[in-house]
Amino acid sequence: TMKEGENQFVDELAGVLEQRGFKVRKRSRVYAWKESKRLPGILGYEPILRPEVDLIVRAGDLLNAIEVKHLDANKHSFGPFFHGVGQALSLLEFGFDHVGLWIVFTSSHASKIDQYGAWTWSHIRNMLGLPIEFSFLTRKLGNGSLTYEVRQYKSVSFR
């Protein structure tokens, strides 16, 4: 189940994607409980996770699943990160063309967002080599408008 802030972020991100012309479905069950009895025969095993997909985005002929997590860099807790990686990986077995993990960072210190966001990106892409798309975003409210900014960094050293 999603925390209150994550529900809000999913709704807001869905609105941004819809404004850009994408077809979006929010908080969808991959399969209903009554259908789960057929899955072992189809997959050959009983899936451990029965995920709820935060965002299903149709881009042309591609069907993409996105897991959204909130990480507060001020709290130094990576629980949502690891939970999000597990959920995103579980979505790979359900036939989506692409699976993504979007981490929405909140912090009053931009340097912490860059530090933790860069570490997370490098951990997923370089250290683990996971087959999921990863983006870290910041959410900004100002002058009556809401924006999401996709963060980028130039290099990270872990030595």
Side-chain angles (χ1 to χ4, degrees), residues 66-86:
I66 300 170
E67 177 63 30
V68 177
K69 288 292 174 203
H70 170 232
L71 195 73
D72 184 343
N74 290 326
K75 293 183 180 179
H76 302 285
S77 171
F78 278 89
F81 161 69
F82 291 108
H83 186 71
V85 168

Side-chain angles (χ1 to χ4, degrees), residues 126-139:
N126 301 332
M127 295 172 153
L128 298 175
L130 297 177
I132 58 176
E133 183 274 329
F134 173 75
S135 293
F136 64 104
L137 307 98
T138 54
R139 178 181 181 269

Side-chain angles (χ1 to χ4, degrees), residues 77-125:
S77 171
F78 278 89
F81 161 69
F82 291 108
H83 186 71
V85 168
Q87 286 183 306
L89 287 173
S90 73
L91 295 174
L92 290 171
E93 67 184 325
F94 292 99
F96 291 101
D97 294 298
H98 299 281
V99 171
L101 172 60
W102 290 2
I103 303 284
V104 178
F105 281 88
T106 56
S107 171
S108 56
H109 306 289
S111 64
K112 283 187 176 184
I113 293 171
D114 287 336
Q115 176 188 0
Y116 289 109
W119 178 89
T120 306
W121 189 94
S122 182
H123 193 76
I124 287 176
R125 296 269 172 95

Side-chain angles (χ1 to χ4, degrees), residues 26-41:
K26 301 179 289 186
R27 291 181 288 281
S28 299
R29 286 265 175 227
V30 173
Y31 56 91
W33 181 253
K34 65 182 178 178
E35 295 170 333
S36 68
K37 293 179 181 178
R38 298 183 328 175
L39 277 177

